[in-house]
Amino acid sequence: MSRIRVFTGHFGSGKTEIAINYALKLNEEGKKVAIADLDIVNPYFCTRDKTEFLESRGIKVISTPKELSNAELGTVPLNTLMVFNDKSYDVVLDVGGDDQGAVALGQFNKYFKEEDYDMYFVINTTRPFTMDADGIIQYINDIQKASRLKVKYLVNNTNLSYETTVDMILEGQKIVEEVSNRLNIPIAFTAVREDLVDELKTKFDGNVFPIKIFMLPPWRQSME
Amino acid sequence: MAKKVLMKGNEAIGEAAIHAGCQCFFGYPITPQTEIAAYMARRMPQVGRVFLQAESEVAAINMVYGAAGAGVRVMTSSSSPGISLKSEGISYIAGAELPCVIVNIVRGGPGLGGIQPAQSDYFQATKGGGHGDYRMVVYAPSSVQELVDLVQEAFDVADQYRNPVMIMGDGMLGQMMEPVEFKERQTTRNLPEKTWAANGLRGRKIHNVINSLYLKPEELEAHNKKLQQKYAEIEKNEVKYELYNLENEVDIVIVSYGTLARICKNAIKMLEKEGIKVGLIRPITLWPYPKKAFDEVMDKVKLGFISIEMNEGQMVEDVKLSVNGRKPVFFYGRSGGMVPTPAEIVNKIKEIVGGAK
């Protein structure tokens, strides 16, 4: 396991949810954690929207300063370099969608050459362009090329938002397994919303990663 | 039943248009609608249709004018300042009586404004935007599924009345992801053949001409009268709205549209627990405005109506015209990309109800 984890995927695959949950997991394990929002593609629903919450847990958030977060600069935060220089941190990089988003990683190539990294590719098979192995493999190739990095693990994050079922996740698992076999890349875990964990575990004995959902529209947020 | 997929509102607009037989898409990027153009750039060539990124919004709307004049289904999309640029073209399209679909995924204004969700283009969409005596059907969906259904409906309505139709959503609707289904649908409308299209002679003796220029005042007035008759017909046939929690008597009725109506529904549930009964009129067409919904519920309303908007009160005038002095009309709004929380709405309504009791 490397200190630096990079989360990539097709946009809408759920990278940000996985990245935030992964950072929280590392934090709960007692590690010193930094999460960097390198999403230069999406204007809404980004890790930076949860800065206050994450910092309250003691997680360092690296993102475009708040006063510029709506300026669409298309740049990564300057202090991203910190994650490579300060090796006391366990790092989660949340990278924007598709190959366009992954371009942002290219500039850090020399650091990735010096230090090993784990790049995860997040897959949701209910998304129109990643419903089958061929579509997914094309995205993996595009992102590897744009980022100049190699995907080391796959993540099955098949979900249909609030209409997700366990059968759907298992159907997605088969497709992700096919990708895994064809590319010889292992599946790190299957992400599942906390309330579906017990049901999934009765039908599936792979590695399950329970997640909380953070990116919610206002009418689905708790009503305090 | 088609399999459900998870899509961003903006992507779903593109796919819905493809399902509706949209042959050409002309666009120009602007947040928060850029994914529409990005999706079309990928998908339109796959299905053998035309995607073109124009050099500007003005160019894009004039390409729409041309394609619509040739009789094909065509769509463009933009966001607030981009729609301002398109407004001249929209007026020409309305004047020349051409069908097309225009999408506005609204950001905050005026001016360059900001990229967060807003409903600040209500006036622009429903009261003209462009110049002249024209009207345009405006749909305001509140979920990604409704967005898909209304995009498909919009193409039919445009063809039936030979008129531009707008789909208007806030940035939230464009950016959020929800499960959607693309149903195989057959229109129930009797759509006229496009015998007016400028698509070659095709056995005719005289070329069809697409035009909005009338030099004789008598002719222009007659043309305007004809348009007004068409608009009256649309007002009669095409009004859409949802009534929520209005089966019984209520203290107050919220009037709200788009994704904000979903936040209002949360507020209504919270108020119910405190013994305050609140109904909701959700206009789905902003023009034609659902005046008859107000007549329908008037007898059930104790205190009055409150228009809740993500702008500084642009819909209040239509609410007042619909209520027509029968009850007081209140307003609550946030703007500039600030989205009201259910708790804020609850407090505002408690203030009104408490003051009245």
Side-chain angles (χ1 to χ4, degrees):
Chain A
M1 277 291 191
S2 163
R3 180 180 73 87
I4 299 170
R5 292 99 179 157
V6 185
F7 287 90
T8 61
H10 173 36
F11 91 80
S13 59
K15 293 174 302 293
T16 296
E17 300 286 8
I18 305 282
I20 292 177
N21 277 278
Y22 205 90
L24 287 167
K25 181 187 93 117
L26 293 171
N27 175 256
E28 276 158 26
E29 288 168 5
K31 292 182 169 121
K32 186 175 163 192
V33 182
I35 185 168
D37 180 349
L38 303 186
D39 191 334
I40 57 168
V41 174
N42 287 299
Y44 296 11
F45 302 117
C46 296
T47 292
R48 51 187 171 265
D49 302 338
K50 296 290 158 196
T51 300
E52 218 171 289
F53 164 76
L54 291 166
E55 288 187 341
S56 77
R57 295 292 182 95
I59 295 172
K60 175 148 185 81
V61 179
I62 296 166
S63 67
T64 305
K66 198 164 181 262
E67 60 275 19
L68 290 173
S69 65
N70 287 329
E72 300 188 90
L73 296 175
T75 57
V76 299
L78 178 66
N79 54 348
T80 305
L81 285 177
M82 185 209 90
V83 306
F84 300 104
N85 292 329
D86 187 342
K87 299 197 191 319
S88 66
Y89 278 100
D90 269 76
V91 177
V92 173
L93 300 182
D94 173 17
V95 181
D98 296 359
D99 49 336
Q100 292 94 333
V103 165
L105 289 172
Q107 64 189 295
F108 302 117
N109 201 257
K110 95 176 172 90
Y111 299 98
F112 286 119
K113 275 183 182 154
E114 283 165 13
E115 189 179 355
D116 198 24
Y117 61 91
D118 287 345
M119 182 146 98
Y120 294 79
F121 186 85
V122 180
I123 299 165
N124 180 0
T125 61
T126 74
R127 294 278 296 140
F129 297 139
T130 55
M131 295 188 117
D132 57 29
D134 287 341
I136 295 164
I137 289 169
Q138 193 190 329
Y139 271 99
I140 291 176
N141 289 338
D142 290 349
I143 287 176
Q144 289 190 140
K145 208 164 148 190
S147 65
R148 294 192 270 159
L149 300 177
K150 288 273 170 228
V151 171
K152 214 170 276 179
Y153 299 103
L154 304 178
V155 172
N156 176 19
N157 187 39
T158 296
N159 76 88
L160 198 56
S161 186
Y162 46 83
E163 291 185 16
T164 310
T165 65
V166 163
D167 287 345
M168 208 176 273
I169 297 170
L170 295 173
E171 223 174 282
Q173 188 72 24
K174 280 187 214 150
I175 297 166
V176 178
E177 277 166 10
E178 189 193 333
V179 176
S180 172
N181 290 333
R182 279 170 61 181
L183 297 182
N184 203 18
I185 300 174
I187 302 172
F189 53 81
T190 298
V192 58
R193 222 171 55 208
E194 282 176 327
D195 57 298
L196 292 173
V197 170
D198 290 342
E199 196 194 335
L200 180 66
K201 281 187 173 167
T202 62
K203 298 179 181 174
F204 177 67
D205 56 7
N207 198 1
V208 172
F209 181 52
I211 60 168
K212 273 193 181 63
I213 305 299
F214 289 94
M215 299 293 129
L216 290 170
W219 56 91
R220 289 184 59 211
Q221 285 161 20
S222 60
M223 294 196 250
E224 66 267 23
Chain B
M1 202 173 75
K3 197 174 164 185
K4 278 200 178 179
V5 291
L6 187 66
M7 286 182 105
K8 249 191 193 199
N10 284 338
E11 297 176 296
I13 290 169
E15 192 58 36
I18 289 168
H19 276 250
C22 176
Q23 293 296 323
C24 301
F25 178 91
F26 306 111
Y28 189 80
I30 177 171
T31 307
Q33 67 80 48
T34 300
E35 295 86 357
I36 304 176
Y39 190 85
M40 289 310 237
R42 191 183 174 101
R43 281 284 285 142
M44 289 296 259
Q46 285 177 359
V47 291
R49 303 187 197 169
V50 175
F51 165 85
L52 201 151
Q53 180 173 319
E55 67 270 35
S56 72
E57 288 88 347
V58 177
I61 194 69
N62 282 290
M63 291 172 187
V64 170
Y65 187 21
V72 302
R73 286 194 159 185
V74 54
M75 184 168 89
T76 186
S77 66
S78 193
S79 178
S80 311
I83 298 292
S84 295
L85 286 166
K86 288 185 197 288
S87 292
E88 181 200 40
I90 296 171
S91 170
Y92 276 61
I93 289 167
E97 290 196 87
L98 296 177
C100 70
V101 176
I102 298 148
V103 181
N104 183 4
I105 299 300
V106 179
R107 49 196 265 167
L112 196 49
I115 64 169
Q116 293 296 322
Q119 298 180 324
S120 50
D121 298 350
Y122 183 90
F123 280 151
Q124 185 194 49
T126 62
K127 314 290 176 195
H131 56 281
D133 269 314
Y134 81 91
R135 291 288 196 177
M136 163 169 74
V137 178
V138 183
Y139 288 115
S142 76
S143 70
V144 178
Q145 184 65 58
E146 192 179 37
L147 179 59
V148 163
D149 298 340
L150 288 175
V151 165
Q152 299 188 333
E153 182 79 352
F155 278 98
D156 287 352
V157 169
D159 277 352
Q160 182 172 339
Y161 298 97
R162 289 182 58 184
N163 208 68
V165 176
M166 176 173 275
I167 300 284
M168 188 157 79
D170 59 72
M172 186 70 71
L173 188 66
Q175 292 295 326
M176 71 186 184
M177 299 190 70
E178 287 192 316
V180 280
E181 187 191 344
F182 294 89
K183 298 163 200 137
E184 284 306 320
R185 70 187 278 286
Q186 215 73 51
T187 183
T188 50
R189 294 170 188 271
N190 192 12
L191 299 180
E193 270 202 48
K194 297 181 174 178
T195 51
W196 45 265
N199 53 0
L201 275 174
R202 306 200 176 204
R204 289 185 293 260
K205 289 273 188 295
I206 304 166
H207 281 288
N208 283 336
V209 175
I210 303 298
N211 175 45
S212 68
L213 175 68
Y214 294 84
L215 291 175
K216 289 184 187 150
E218 295 82 359
E219 282 181 12
L220 180 53
E221 189 185 44
H223 176 63
N224 284 336
K225 295 280 187 213
K226 190 182 127 208
L227 291 180
Q228 290 306 314
Q229 275 174 10
K230 179 168 83 178
Y231 302 146
E233 194 70 12
I234 295 174
E235 279 197 275
K236 205 175 83 195
N237 300 335
E238 303 300 338
V239 168
K240 271 187 195 285
Y241 57 91
E242 179 197 354
L243 299 181
Y244 175 79
N245 208 30
L246 276 163
E247 298 79 22
N248 304 305
E249 193 174 70
V250 292
D251 295 306
I252 191 165
V253 173
I254 294 174
V255 188
S256 189
Y257 65 91
T259 63
L260 182 55
R262 297 170 79 167
I263 300 175
C264 291
K265 284 180 182 175
N266 277 9
I268 289 170
K269 284 178 200 146
M270 289 160 78
L271 286 158
E272 188 85 48
K273 286 184 197 145
E274 302 191 38
I276 299 171
K277 294 192 168 58
V278 184
L280 171 75
I281 295 176
R282 178 171 73 88
I284 298 171
T285 48
L286 301 182
W287 192 88
Y289 199 71
K291 289 181 184 154
K292 66 179 176 193
F294 294 78
D295 300 337
E296 222 175 291
V297 306
M298 196 57 71
D299 294 342
K300 295 175 179 168
V301 185
K302 277 200 237 168
L303 284 172
F305 296 82
I306 177 167
S307 185
I308 299 184
E309 308 177 46
M310 290 195 289
N311 61 52
E312 295 298 333
Q314 297 185 25
M315 188 174 67
V316 175
E317 293 170 18
D318 281 335
V319 174
K320 283 186 176 164
L321 283 169
S322 305
V323 172
N324 202 11
R326 288 174 284 184
K327 294 278 179 193
V329 173
F330 304 91
F331 167 69
Y332 183 71
R334 298 295 302 270
S335 67
M338 298 300 293
V339 179
T341 62
E344 266 176 72
I345 295 167
V346 165
N347 288 341
K348 178 67 189 179
I349 287 180
K350 276 159 84 174
E351 193 186 301
I352 296 168
V353 174
K357 269 184 177 164

